[in-house]
Amino acid sequence: MEDKIRLSVLGFSFNQTQSGTYGLILAEDDGARRLIIIIGTPEAQSIAFCLQGSVPPRPLAHDLFQMLTSEFGITLLEVVIYKYDNGVFHSKMHLRQGEHNIEIESRTSDAIAIALRTRAPIYTTKSIMREQAIVFEENTSPETVQEDEKDNLALDYSLLDTEELETLLKDAIEGEDYELASLLRDELKKKLGSN
């Protein structure tokens, strides 16, 4: 496989062209390029819980996968986004159990959700970054861009149910993130008012 480029999950942007989907933004480590992957609502919820350091009220499918691999001594070594074809990114999860290396084809959104839970690195190829990434202007430093993006990117909390919102609200208050707590409280009021 060609040289790999390490990526980190930066956040979400709302996808206005396709209802019920979100743009997951991956940032090139030590670079200004961004890769945007369109994912569905359940995967966005799962990734959002990880990014916010919250625990969902009940384990999600990705949590179960992580628990099973841990129980059976399987380690996720890395996720590689290796191909882009007809608007779809293709990924492989590289796992190890004892002396055995295992490679599994996976949807990119699932692989990333699991990588976040196991703290496994996420990579893509140079050609994918060259052909699909968004490049920021050269006079903008990657650190500044990344901090600005983190301030502006957030999950649309309307996609969470009341129990998930309550869990996130509790975590935000305990973490003294009152700005997030205010957003979550307002969304919770909307949900409870519509029932």
Side-chain angles (χ1 to χ4, degrees), residues 103-173:
E103 187 177 277
I104 306 174
E105 183 76 22
S106 173
R107 292 189 318 164
T108 299
S109 56
D110 291 327
I112 290 171
I114 294 166
L116 288 173
R117 283 163 171 76
T118 60
R119 294 181 171 78
I122 302 165
Y123 296 99
T124 193
T125 64
K126 284 186 174 181
S127 61
I128 286 176
M129 286 304 282
R130 187 172 50 250
E131 295 162 16
Q132 301 301 321
I134 297 169
V135 181
F136 284 86
E137 295 177 19
E138 287 181 27
N139 60 357
T140 307
S141 78
E143 295 80 16
T144 305
V145 169
Q146 199 159 359
E147 287 307 311
D148 289 346
E149 286 174 339
K150 281 184 181 175
D151 290 341
N152 294 326
L153 296 173
L155 180 63
D156 178 2
Y157 294 108
S158 65
L159 62 86
L160 301 174
D161 66 28
T162 55
E163 195 173 353
E164 291 166 331
L165 284 167
E166 287 168 353
T167 300
L168 287 174
L169 177 59
K170 180 178 173 261
D171 291 347
I173 292 169

Side-chain angles (χ1 to χ4, degrees), residues 1-7 65 69 74-82 90-97 101-108 110-125:
M1 180 174 283
E2 66 178 283
D3 289 343
K4 298 180 292 189
I5 294 173
R6 188 161 179 172
L7 301 170
F65 184 92
T69 56
I74 301 169
T75 304
L76 177 59
L77 301 174
E78 65 183 16
V79 166
V80 180
I81 304 166
Y82 72 93
H90 296 261
S91 295
K92 290 185 180 178
M93 298 188 337
H94 297 264
L95 303 125
R96 176 176 295 143
Q97 183 180 33
N101 287 331
I102 308 157
E103 187 177 277
I104 306 174
E105 183 76 22
S106 173
R107 292 189 318 164
T108 299
D110 291 327
I112 290 171
I114 294 166
L116 288 173
R117 283 163 171 76
T118 60
R119 294 181 171 78
I122 302 165
Y123 296 99
T124 193
T125 64

Side-chain angles (χ1 to χ4, degrees), residues 53-65:
S54 298
V55 178
R58 294 173 307 280
L60 303 173
H62 302 117
D63 298 313
L64 294 174
F65 184 92

